[in-house]
Amino acid sequence: MRKIPITALTPGMVTAEDILSYDHKPVVPKGIILTENIISRLEGYSIYYAHIEDNLVVDMSMPMTNAAIDKKQDASITALYSNTALESDMHDNPDMSRQYQIFSHHFARCAEHYQNNLMNSLYRNEPFRANELLKETLALLSQDRQSISVFDMLLNMHNTEDSVYNHCIDVALISNVLARWLHFSEADQMMATACGLFHDVGKFILPAGILRKPGKLTQDEFEIVKTHTTEGFHLLGRYNSIPEPVKNAALMHHEKCDGSGYPYGLTGEDIDKFSKIVTIADIFDAMTSERVYRAAMCPFSVIKYFEDDGIQKYEMKYILTFLENVSNSYLNHHVTLSNGMEGNVIFINPGNFSKPVIRTGTNEIIDLQENYYQSILKLSNIKNLSIESII
C-alpha cells in the first residue's frame, strides 16, 4: 500500500483504504477501481491523497472490463453516497452544513479585508498587502476544512451579496482549482490564484453607478466598463511587488484566443497563460452569480454557453479540462429539469458536458444528450430537456 497525491492517480489503480473527507466520512470505498470520473470527483472535493494497492492495476483499455467496472462501481458508490451524512450536507441542504458555515464566515472576512486594504491603499496611501490577501484566500481552499467541492460552496455563496470583492475571490478559487486540474506546479497554482484575485481591480476606478446599473448598459457605458482592464494594469503597476503575470491578467482577462476580445484583440500566443485561466474562471463565476440586472444561471447552462460560444475562443486544453472536470464535480447532485421533473446526475456525457444522464425519483433514466438529438429530429413530438437548477 502506498500513499500518493490525487494528481498522480491513473485509471485502473485500486484503492487500498476508504478515501475519507476531513471529518472521516467515506467518499470512495476501499477496493474501488479508479476511473477518470472518480479521480475528477476527488479533485473537485479538495481531497489531495489516496492509499493505493501496490502493483495492482486493472487494464482499463478492455471494453468488457470497463463495462463490468462501471456496473459494479456505480452501485457501490451510489450506495455509499446515499448512506452518509456527506450526501445530505452536500446536496440536500449544503448551506446548513458546518463546512459551508465555516467557509462562508471566512469568505466574508476575506472580502472585508480585501475591501479595507485596497481602499486604504488607494485613498490613504497605505501599503497594499497583496501577499496577505493571497494567503487568506488560499486558506479558503484548506484541505483540512473541506470535504465539499469548492463549486458547491460558491454555488450557495452566489445567493448572497454581489460585489466585485466577492467576485475576485471566487475567480481566485476557481483559477486555483483549474490550475490544479491542469497539473500546474504548486508555484503556478499560487500564481493563478493571485491573478484571479486581482484581475478586476480596475473596476474600483470606474463610476459605481455604471457597475451597479440595474439594466442593460448603453454603448458608451460599456466602453467605459471595458477600460477596467487597462485601469487595472496601471493600478497594479504602482506596486513593485506585484508580479508581471498578475498585471497581465488584469489587462488580458477579456482577450480571446480567436482575437475577438478586448482591449487589444490579442490572439492565442500573445495572451499570458494565467490570463487564459482567469478568463474561463471569470466567465463561469459571473454567469453563475446573481447580478442586479439578472438572476444567476445554472452551472450546466453556463457549460452549454461555453460549448455554444466556440471553444476556439479559449485555450483548447484549458477549456476542455475545465468543462469536463466542472461537470464531473456535479455528479450525484440533485437537479430540476426544464419540464419540472427532478433527479440525480449519474453520468456525464463526454463531448457534451451540458447534457448528462439523469435518474429521476421514479428510477427513470433520462439521457439529455439523446433527448437533445431527438428534439432536433422530431421537433413536433419531443421537447428538448435541459437542467434548470441544481438543488
Side-chain angles (χ1 to χ4, degrees):
M1 181 176 67
R2 53 205 166 104
K3 181 180 179 182
I4 65 174
I6 296 301
T7 54
L9 295 177
T10 58
M13 289 181 173
V14 180
T15 54
E17 293 184 356
D18 290 350
I19 300 177
L20 306 175
S21 63
Y22 88 101
D23 52 356
H24 304 294
K25 294 174 181 175
V27 176
V28 176
K30 176 182 177 180
I32 288 293
I33 302 166
L34 296 178
T35 64
E36 290 283 1
N37 279 350
I38 295 173
I39 294 170
S40 296
R41 182 187 302 163
L42 293 173
E43 292 178 342
Y45 294 148
S46 298
I47 295 173
Y48 293 83
Y49 294 93
H51 289 91
I52 300 299
E53 294 284 3
D54 289 324
N55 303 318
L56 183 56
V57 178
V58 175
D59 183 3
M60 299 294 285
S61 67
M62 298 296 292
M64 289 298 292
T65 302
N66 273 323
I69 289 170
D70 289 340
K71 183 176 180 180
K72 176 181 178 182
Q73 298 193 155
D74 180 63
S76 299
I77 296 179
T78 300
L80 172 69
Y81 272 90
S82 65
N83 288 304
T84 63
L86 181 60
E87 168 77 3
S88 175
D89 282 349
M90 286 176 56
H91 306 146
D92 292 341
N93 203 358
D95 61 321
M96 295 300 291
S97 71
R98 177 175 175 273
Q99 294 95 328
Y100 175 75
Q101 295 297 334
I102 293 172
F103 180 88
S104 59
H105 170 75
H106 287 280
F107 188 103
R109 187 175 63 181
C110 186
E112 181 183 1
H113 291 171
Y114 192 157
Q115 180 176 8
N116 293 340
N117 187 242
L118 183 60
M119 292 300 101
N120 288 340
S121 176
L122 288 176
Y123 302 113
R124 298 183 181 178
N125 203 30
E126 294 184 7
F128 183 43
R129 299 181 175 86
N131 285 336
E132 292 180 17
L133 294 173
L134 177 59
K135 289 179 182 177
E136 193 169 3
T137 302
L138 287 167
L140 291 169
L141 291 161
S142 170
Q143 67 190 70
D144 295 331
R145 281 208 303 266
Q146 289 203 46
S147 62
I148 297 179
S149 165
V150 166
F151 293 95
D152 282 321
M153 295 290 194
L154 296 184
L155 189 62
N156 286 276
M157 290 295 297
H158 291 161
N159 295 323
T160 60
E161 181 187 359
D162 165 26
S163 76
V164 179
Y165 303 102
N166 287 28
H167 172 63
C168 285
I169 296 171
D170 291 350
V171 173
L173 300 179
I174 296 170
S175 296
N176 177 282
V177 173
L178 177 52
R180 179 151 39 89
W181 284 340
L182 291 166
H183 306 299
F184 279 20
S185 67
E186 289 190 10
D188 279 356
Q189 290 175 33
M190 186 176 296
M191 182 63 73
T193 311
C195 289
L197 187 60
F198 302 116
H199 79 286
D200 256 355
V201 292
K203 286 186 175 178
F204 300 110
I205 309 298
L206 305 184
I210 292 180
L211 292 179
R212 303 291 297 177
K213 182 179 178 179
K216 186 177 181 179
L217 297 176
T218 67
Q219 185 59 41
D220 288 342
E221 289 170 335
F222 182 58
E223 291 301 320
I224 292 173
V225 169
K226 287 165 66 175
T227 66
H228 79 278
T229 54
T230 51
E231 292 286 0
F233 179 78
H234 294 309
L235 173 58
L236 294 174
R238 300 181 191 179
Y239 308 105
N240 294 329
S241 61
I242 300 294
E244 286 301 313
V246 178
K247 299 174 188 176
N248 287 337
L251 180 66
M252 300 179 183
H253 67 277
H254 284 287
E255 299 284 4
K256 300 291 177 59
C257 290
D258 65 350
S260 63
Y262 66 86
Y264 301 122
L266 301 178
T267 54
E269 293 184 358
D270 297 321
I271 305 172
D272 183 274
K273 70 176 184 179
F274 296 106
S275 299
K276 293 175 180 177
I277 285 178
V278 172
T279 296
I280 295 169
D282 178 44
I283 293 172
F284 183 83
D285 182 71
M287 297 183 76
T288 55
S289 299
E290 291 274 351
R291 290 291 183 263
V292 292
Y293 51 87
R294 62 157 173 81
M297 292 176 63
C298 171
F300 280 98
S301 297
V302 181
I303 292 169
K304 186 177 188 302
Y305 165 83
F306 277 116
E307 293 173 337
D308 293 345
D309 193 40
I311 57 175
Q312 71 275 7
K313 292 186 177 182
Y314 310 93
E315 183 69 27
M316 187 74 70
K317 180 179 179 181
Y318 295 4
I319 189 62
L320 291 178
T321 297
F322 179 77
L323 295 180
E324 179 180 7
N325 283 278
V326 78
S327 57
N328 278 322
S329 75
Y330 294 115
L331 276 171
N332 297 310
H333 279 52
H334 198 58
V335 298
T336 58
L337 301 179
S338 53
N339 64 354
M341 297 178 70
E342 296 185 8
N344 290 324
V345 178
I346 62 171
F347 180 75
I348 302 298
N349 281 308
N352 200 344
F353 303 116
S354 64
K355 300 289 185 182
V357 180
I358 310 298
R359 178 186 284 123
T360 70
T362 58
N363 280 328
E364 179 184 357
I365 303 298
I366 301 176
D367 186 338
L368 297 183
Q369 177 177 257
E370 181 180 345
N371 170 267
Y372 172 66
Y373 292 140
Q374 288 178 345
S375 70
I376 293 175
L377 295 172
K378 302 178 182 180
L379 293 176
S380 62
N381 297 326
I382 297 177
K383 183 179 179 181
N384 178 31
L385 290 179
S386 61
I387 294 178
E388 283 286 297
S389 63
I390 297 176
I391 303 175

